[in-house]
Amino acid sequence: GPLAGGLASVAAFAAGVLLSPAPDASTAAGAAAAASAGLPVIPAAMLKSSWLAASLCNALSPTLLAGLSAPVHPLVVVGYVGVVSNALNALPIGRLDGGRMAQAQAG
């Protein structure tokens, strides 16, 4: 269900933050080296805009979001996309999980 999917996504995100490279890779030269190593480089503002993502990053790797971009492990991207898709699925619209929950509450 949606709860299991959300927990699995958060767990993948947290594991990816722990497996992300050292904070010195947040410099321009380090980000280029991480990109050439095959790691995705994402804007730090994207992770800072989400309360859940920012607090997990700050708790597990406080210096990961220090620069403008952050080279991250691919599990971070997988977990972030999973959390966003679970959030969209929880919207109370039609036959989505949120719509079925709202229909069950309202009757």
Side-chain angles (χ1 to χ4, degrees):
L3 183 61
L7 290 176
S9 298
V10 170
F13 184 84
V17 168
L18 290 174
L19 294 173
S20 292
D24 64 336
S26 63
T27 63
S36 67
L39 293 176
V41 178
I42 60 173
M46 184 177 90
L47 293 175
K48 289 178 185 177
S49 67
S50 167
W51 177 82
L52 177 66
S55 41
L56 276 175
C57 287
N58 288 333
L60 300 175
S61 179
T63 56
L64 181 66
L65 301 178
L68 293 176
S69 62
V72 295
H73 192 272
L75 276 177
V76 171
V77 178
V78 169
Y80 191 80
V81 169
V83 167
V84 169
S85 68
N86 277 316
L88 290 174
N89 196 24
L91 290 174
I93 300 171
R95 293 189 179 189
L96 296 177
D97 285 337
R100 293 182 190 273
M101 287 185 270
Q103 187 178 21
Q105 285 180 344

